[in-house]
Amino acid sequence: IDDAKKKLLSRINHEIRTPMNGIMGMVSLLTETPLTPEQKEYNETIRNCGASLLLTINDILLSDVLAHAKVDSNSSELEQKEFDLRNSIEEVFDVFANQAAQKDIELVYQVDHRIPAHVIGDNSRLRQVLMNLLENSIKFTKQGGVTITVSSLKRDATDESDVVVLQWSVQDTGIGLTPEQQANLFKAYAQAEVSTARRFGGTGLGLMICRQLVELMGGTITVQSQFGQGSTFIVTLPRRMQEHERQAA
């Protein structure tokens, strides 16, 4: 896929999904106000059409087309730009806020206070990974919530570089995974059971893409889970700090 198409997909991803979440939120608020039977019918039609469109946007843009565009990029095209860690997480949460609210699922994030506010890396690819993981967690969590935790792993005391190793944990209270499902989870189109493929979006494409993106960024992705008691996906990535933050750390 060429650069122009990738830019178009990224723009569609942002420009359509964000206002759609706002529309769905206002429709939900309108439902709680006094309405005539005719108005209720119109409002419900808007809600159903909006939910269907948002689902299509998520399934096609997020899980397939946009993800393929990211993976097709060469490693030489990795961005090395400054970005705000907390803002990135909040932007991901904004995408799924309405979906989580409808299921009464709490979305929470925690960032170790010792981690600098700004780091250098490929923010768009990181958000793609978090979106895929968060989408799966919400989809298969009936109650409770999803928590993203960012912590800093210890480095060798002699390491004076500006690289910090960050660990991103996406923990849910969902249905969990069997040991066999965990062993085959990140294999491209090779889940051991059909149930595993269904558990993660039909073909397991989303998690396979997560693995490819994480490895492209020089990191690793693993899962810890107990069937019936939720799952935790752990992404470890090296990130550079801004010079002034490294000196202050």
Side-chain angles (χ1 to χ4, degrees):
I1 187 167
D2 58 36
D3 187 60
K5 290 182 179 179
K6 286 187 290 185
K7 289 181 179 179
L8 176 61
L9 290 171
S10 295
R11 183 174 180 180
I12 293 174
N13 177 50
H14 174 74
E15 298 293 342
I16 295 182
R17 186 184 288 111
T18 299
M20 276 304 304
N21 276 301
I23 292 172
M24 295 302 293
M26 294 306 297
V27 168
S28 296
L29 291 176
L30 186 60
T31 304
E32 300 175 3
T33 64
L35 298 173
T36 66
E38 185 177 17
Q39 289 172 330
K40 289 181 179 179
E41 182 179 352
Y42 293 158
N43 191 62
E44 183 65 15
T45 299
I46 295 172
R47 191 194 69 80
N48 290 336
C49 291
S52 177
L53 178 57
L54 196 57
L55 181 62
T56 299
I57 292 171
N58 284 336
D59 285 347
I60 295 177
L61 284 177
L62 177 60
S63 299
D64 296 323
V65 181
L66 187 60
H68 271 303
K70 301 294 185 182
V71 174
D72 285 343
S73 299
N74 296 324
S75 59
S76 61
E77 297 178 355
L78 281 172
E79 291 185 350
Q80 294 297 321
K81 296 182 179 180
E82 177 186 351
F83 66 92
D84 189 305
L85 279 173
R86 292 158 183 81
N87 283 350
S88 292
I89 298 175
E90 290 174 1
E91 289 172 358
V92 171
F93 276 7
D94 286 343
V95 173
F96 299 102
N98 184 69
Q99 185 178 346
Q102 288 182 344
K103 300 184 68 175
D104 197 23
I105 294 173
E106 186 177 17
L107 300 181
V108 179
Y109 78 88
Q110 301 172 342
V111 179
D112 190 320
H113 70 278
R114 294 170 296 182
I115 296 176
H118 296 84
V119 295
I120 298 173
D122 196 319
N123 185 30
S124 62
R125 284 184 171 85
L126 174 61
R127 284 188 299 179
Q128 182 65 35
V129 171
L130 293 179
M131 282 182 179
N132 275 301
L133 295 178
L134 191 62
E135 180 185 34
N136 279 325
S137 291
I138 293 174
K139 186 181 297 183
F140 299 102
T141 298
K142 295 183 178 180
Q143 60 182 2
V146 182
T147 301
I148 294 180
T149 304
V150 187
S151 56
S152 178
L153 299 183
K154 290 184 178 180
R155 295 182 297 172
D156 189 292
T158 61
D159 185 0
E160 297 181 356
S161 70
D162 62 349
V163 176
V164 57
V165 179
L166 300 182
Q167 179 172 282
W168 306 72
S169 299
V170 181
Q171 182 178 20
D172 64 61
T173 55
I175 63 176
L177 294 160
T178 66
E180 184 178 7
Q181 289 173 331
Q182 294 179 54
N184 293 277
L185 197 56
F186 299 105
K187 296 180 180 179
Y189 306 103
Q191 277 78 2
E193 301 175 353
V194 174
S195 60
T196 307
R198 290 176 178 171
R199 163 73 167 88
F200 290 101
T203 62
L205 178 62
L207 291 179
M208 180 268 290
I209 288 175
C210 282
R211 177 181 61 80
Q212 291 180 325
L213 287 172
V214 169
E215 291 177 353
L216 184 65
M217 292 185 285
T220 60
I221 181 170
T222 58
V223 62
Q224 298 175 354
S225 181
Q226 186 171 348
F227 187 71
Q229 298 187 25
S231 302
T232 301
F233 290 86
I234 301 172
V235 176
T236 302
L237 290 172
R239 281 290 177 268
R240 286 171 51 210
M241 295 185 291
Q242 285 293 79
E243 179 64 23
H244 66 280
E245 292 176 324
R246 180 174 70 88
Q247 293 174 351

